[in-house]
Amino acid sequence: ILNPDEQTRNIYTNKKAQQDAQKAEYAKLHGKPATTLDHKTFALYSNIGSPNDLHLIDENGSEGIGLFRSEFLFMESKQAPSEDQQYAIYRKVAEHMKGKTVILRLLDIGGDKPLSYLNFPKEENPFLGWRGVRLYKDNPEVFLSQIRAAIRAAAYGDLWVMIPMVISLEELRWVKQQIAEQSVKLEAEGRNHNPHLKVGIMIETPASALIAEQLATEAAFFSIGTNDLTQYTLAVDRGNTKISDLYDGLHPAVLRLMKMTCDAAHKAGIDVGICGEMGGQLEATPLLVGMGFNEISISGKMLPAVKYTISKLQYDECRALLNNAIAANDAEAVRKLLQSVKH
């Protein structure tokens, strides 16, 4: 706005004052746990795309990394990065976190993220095609170099790995078997490594949510990827502007699958987190609190705002709200319920 008049100037001066006051409130909670008014505590983690994002950990007061996207290494190169190249990056991040948890997502390409050097076939529906865990068996050199790098780096911090696009127990078992075999080989080679690497899965398909109880018997943890879970549950391509208004993570069907996943994890005694964009969506925070996530991983700089919001909520009230939300008719009805929450 060029040459604003006094009224316009006052509007923006007041907005800035409000933002500064809000930031001051957030700053009071820096370094403190995210705790509801009735003393339910949640771990708040950060999502990162590369080591260049590590500054977010310190700035936001993150307690860990809930999603370390490994594909940046593969997408920035004209050939697959070597085991040692990956190991150096994963170790750097693990050591930076000084014992805090780092959840490394194994290579998640395909769909909207093809690689020039992996000879991706032309697919009519790439989001329903050769992506995530589905391409590991066809690319053993790429896959094995990554898990070897992760097993080695896990000796230098609390590094876990999670598998994308899982729809069956067999896929989880296969990856765990490969990790076990490579641990034995690394031991024989005399390389420093962690033979007890935690292996979890992303819950981002309706299939994995619906069989969460079975998966929880062998997964070390769950992490819900709400972006894809919403897309697949609602059969809505989130990149299609024609139907983008139908893409809504607050749809009761999505919330039901999320709650089923959390309930299965709690029943099995394993951790369950969320790493999709919903983690930083403030209107959804009461529902995430009601689900009882062990950790909420957040993109960008939204963590302080989420922490502040949690500090104004009652866990028991959020649980009741969640039950009403999953019984609602549509996302609009869920939003009306959320508007009644004071935070």
Side-chain angles (χ1 to χ4, degrees):
I1 301 173
L2 300 177
N3 303 316
D5 57 29
E6 186 175 354
Q7 182 181 4
T8 302
R9 187 183 297 274
N10 287 339
I11 288 171
Y12 285 96
T13 299
N14 290 335
K15 280 188 176 183
K16 183 179 185 306
Q18 291 171 1
Q19 289 180 356
D20 289 346
Q22 190 70 78
K23 287 179 181 178
E25 289 297 312
Y26 295 165
K28 293 177 185 177
L29 296 175
H30 190 88
K32 297 180 180 179
T35 305
T36 63
L37 293 169
D38 47 354
H39 312 297
K40 175 75 171 177
T41 298
F42 298 81
L44 299 188
Y45 289 6
S46 287
N47 296 341
I48 69 168
S50 79
N52 294 332
D53 295 332
L54 285 173
H55 63 92
L56 292 171
I57 306 302
D58 306 318
E59 291 171 8
N60 293 335
S62 300
E63 298 167 72
I65 295 173
L67 172 61
F68 177 14
R69 300 179 181 90
S70 65
E71 53 268 20
F72 83 96
L73 266 171
F74 295 80
M75 298 184 77
E76 291 178 354
S77 176
K78 293 182 179 179
Q79 59 187 21
S82 69
E83 176 186 327
D84 285 342
Q85 286 175 316
Q86 293 181 70
Y87 162 69
I89 295 292
Y90 304 158
R91 177 176 173 176
K92 176 183 178 180
V93 173
E95 289 183 328
H96 178 90
M97 295 304 291
K98 298 181 173 65
K100 293 179 179 177
T101 299
V102 177
I103 302 178
L104 174 72
R105 179 171 67 189
L106 297 178
L107 185 58
D108 185 19
I109 51 171
D112 59 341
K113 294 177 290 188
L115 293 178
S116 60
Y117 51 84
L118 278 194
N119 192 27
F120 275 82
K122 178 174 174 55
E123 297 179 293
E124 290 295 327
N125 294 295
F127 281 106
L128 303 179
W130 197 56
R131 59 173 303 202
V133 69
R134 299 171 180 182
L135 54 80
Y136 295 169
K137 288 183 180 180
D138 297 320
N139 295 278
E141 290 184 9
V142 173
F143 173 64
L144 294 178
S145 70
Q146 179 169 46
I147 61 174
R148 282 173 59 89
I151 298 166
R152 291 168 60 193
Y156 298 92
D158 190 26
L159 180 75
W160 306 357
V161 297
M162 65 178 173
I163 314 164
M165 279 298 290
V166 169
I167 63 168
S168 72
L169 197 54
E170 187 276 331
E171 290 168 331
L172 170 59
R173 286 172 174 165
W174 182 82
V175 172
K176 287 176 67 177
Q177 178 62 31
Q178 304 309 304
I179 289 173
E181 290 176 5
Q182 293 307 315
S183 291
V184 171
K185 290 183 179 181
L186 287 167
E187 179 71 29
E189 294 166 16
R191 290 179 180 265
N192 197 15
H193 68 290
N194 179 359
H196 306 296
L197 182 68
K198 279 193 173 183
V199 183
I201 63 171
M202 289 192 75
I203 301 290
E204 52 190 337
T205 64
S208 57
L210 290 167
I211 62 166
E213 285 198 7
Q214 292 96 309
L215 293 168
T217 62
E218 298 198 27
F221 64 92
F222 289 155
S223 184
I224 298 179
T226 53
N227 302 358
D228 271 337
L229 183 62
T230 301
Q231 172 173 250
Y232 291 133
T233 302
L234 303 181
V236 174
D237 177 356
R238 54 193 168 104
N240 186 335
T241 55
K242 276 279 199 183
I243 53 173
S244 58
D245 59 319
L246 298 177
Y247 177 84
D248 197 329
L250 294 182
H251 191 291
V254 178
L255 299 179
R256 279 174 182 256
L257 292 175
M258 292 173 65
K259 184 178 186 297
M260 286 176 62
T261 301
C262 289
D263 290 347
H266 295 150
K267 182 179 177 181
I270 65 172
D271 285 351
V272 57
I274 176 173
C275 62
E277 292 302 320
M278 195 187 291
Q281 189 180 340
L282 293 182
E283 67 176 342
T285 301
L287 299 174
L288 306 186
V289 167
M291 290 181 195
F293 282 99
N294 297 95
E295 57 93 356
I296 299 171
S297 197
I298 300 161
S299 297
K301 299 181 178 181
M302 286 300 295
L303 190 149
V306 173
K307 183 185 290 188
Y308 179 80
T309 301
I310 289 173
S311 74
K312 301 299 180 183
L313 296 171
Q314 295 271 2
Y315 175 57
D316 286 343
E317 290 180 3
C318 290
R319 291 183 68 184
L321 175 75
L322 175 63
N323 289 333
N324 290 331
I326 63 175
N329 293 331
D330 52 35
E332 195 55 42
V334 172
R335 282 194 169 79
K336 286 180 181 177
L337 285 170
L338 290 169
Q339 287 168 5
S340 68
V341 179
K342 296 178 181 179
H343 57 77

